[in-house]
Amino acid sequence: MSSSIDVKEINENISGTHDASKQERWNNIWWKPIQAIPAATRAVLEEYSHIPPDDVLSHVQKVQRRAYEIHPWPCIGVAMFLPFDMRTMPEYPQILSRLKDGDTFLDVGCGLGQELRGLAAEGVPARRLFGIDYEAQMLESGFELFRDEETFKSQVKKVDILGSDSDYSAFEKQVDIANCAYFLMLFDYDDQVVAAKRVVSFLRPKKGSMIVGRQMGVKGQPLQTDGMVGKKTYWHTEESLRKFWTDLAGQLGVEWASLDVSERSFPEDWEMGKRAGDGWIQLRFTIQLA
């Protein structure tokens, strides 16, 4: 991921098969204790989670540390769970309006569930918000962060989207808008196909059902590397990601009313982008069923 780190170290550190020197190098790159809270996130923590203003920073630092000790993922180490990233998408006002009007939303690979809480804080009823993640501890860290385990009435579940033994019944053909942020990039190409087909199966089979997402990508040619989940990881270019979704529609026999894939520059304050190195980009995509 970073031009200064061998991608094999991603898998070694997360799987636990690393030595102390590699762990130290990994932490030097990916561990950055939180020093400031984005204004929008602070507002949610104070007004939605009812955390006293003077306690917000120390509370978030504690959650970050505990989550990183369990899973030293870059997204935890550089606090990607803090910003409401979906709010930066041009489609966000449309998404928010649709959800307030009754549509349902699924965050695939939701992590700590910050996007779900951001939507709830903006007035979307939690019963219309769903979240799934492979790591149960990430979901638990989300409840710890937002202090809402007893009050957040969303369906948030541990699900292995690649597995055949997970219960998907609550989501099959029940979702109007699915969010796939920094999710598909965790898998090799074949597993990306499996996961994306599963996401499409969650959508209501009607015009306007939507998938939105963001992920890391590369310039030039697609890149396959040793990855973050114990197997190969396939990194798309803008062109290959567009072809991926076009081919998927053909395999499923569905038609996209619109398919937009675009390369975006990393935000200046985005720590993952700062550490990614040259050649890495952010890709965004928005897809709607015909």
Side-chain angles (χ1 to χ4, degrees), residues 109 185 222:
M185 70 183 200

Side-chain angles (χ1 to χ4, degrees), residues 63 67 70-71 76 106-114 116-117 130-149 152 154-160 171:
V63 173
I70 297 170
H71 292 294
I76 301 298
L106 172 65
D107 196 358
V108 182
C110 63
L112 275 67
Q114 68 275 8
L116 300 174
R117 274 51 172 231
F130 310 128
I132 58 175
D133 199 278
Y134 179 73
E135 298 290 350
Q137 290 123 327
M138 296 284 271
L139 304 176
E140 293 167 5
S141 293
F143 286 120
E144 181 184 4
L145 178 63
F146 292 100
R147 292 185 176 176
D148 61 356
E149 186 169 7
F152 190 51
S154 167
Q155 292 193 57
V156 179
K157 297 179 61 176
K158 169 181 164 55
V159 168
D160 178 6
F171 312 114

Side-chain angles (χ1 to χ4, degrees), residues 211-282:
I211 301 172
V212 297
R214 284 84 64 215
Q215 62 188 60
M216 299 281 284
V218 294
K219 297 179 180 179
Q221 298 297 318
L223 176 66
Q224 181 166 282
T225 70
D226 292 330
M228 292 193 288
V229 288
K231 58 174 63 178
K232 299 293 184 181
T233 297
Y234 190 88
W235 304 90
H236 282 281
T237 64
E238 179 181 341
E239 181 180 356
S240 73
L241 186 58
R242 186 178 295 108
K243 185 177 185 300
F244 172 87
W245 286 108
T246 300
D247 291 348
L248 193 82
Q251 294 171 28
L252 293 174
V254 300
E255 182 180 352
W256 306 135
S258 62
L259 168 58
D260 177 61
V261 179
S262 59
E263 174 186 335
R264 301 294 178 90
S265 299
F266 295 122
E268 290 185 3
D269 60 348
W270 201 57
E271 289 295 333
M272 183 70 87
K274 291 179 182 178
R275 286 159 169 72
D278 294 336
W280 295 92
I281 57 176
Q282 184 187 63

Side-chain angles (χ1 to χ4, degrees), residues 19-33:
D19 58 35
S21 63
K22 286 183 177 179
Q23 179 67 68
E24 182 179 1
R25 183 166 177 241
W26 175 266
N27 290 339
N28 286 340
I29 294 172
W30 293 116
W31 171 246
K32 182 179 180 181

Side-chain angles (χ1 to χ4, degrees), residues 104-108 175-180 199 202-203 210-213:
T104 56
F105 176 87
L106 172 65
D107 196 358
V108 182
V175 175
D176 296 295
I177 302 169
N179 179 50
C180 297
V199 172
F202 295 153
L203 296 179
M210 177 186 292
I211 301 172
V212 297

Side-chain angles (χ1 to χ4, degrees), residues 42-51 116-118 120-122 126 146-149 151-153:
R42 173 175 282 278
V44 170
L45 291 170
E46 292 180 9
E47 298 167 14
Y48 168 86
S49 303
H50 306 294
I51 299 173
L116 300 174
R117 274 51 172 231
E122 294 223 82
F146 292 100
R147 292 185 176 176
D148 61 356
E149 186 169 7
T151 58
F152 190 51
K153 302 305 180 183

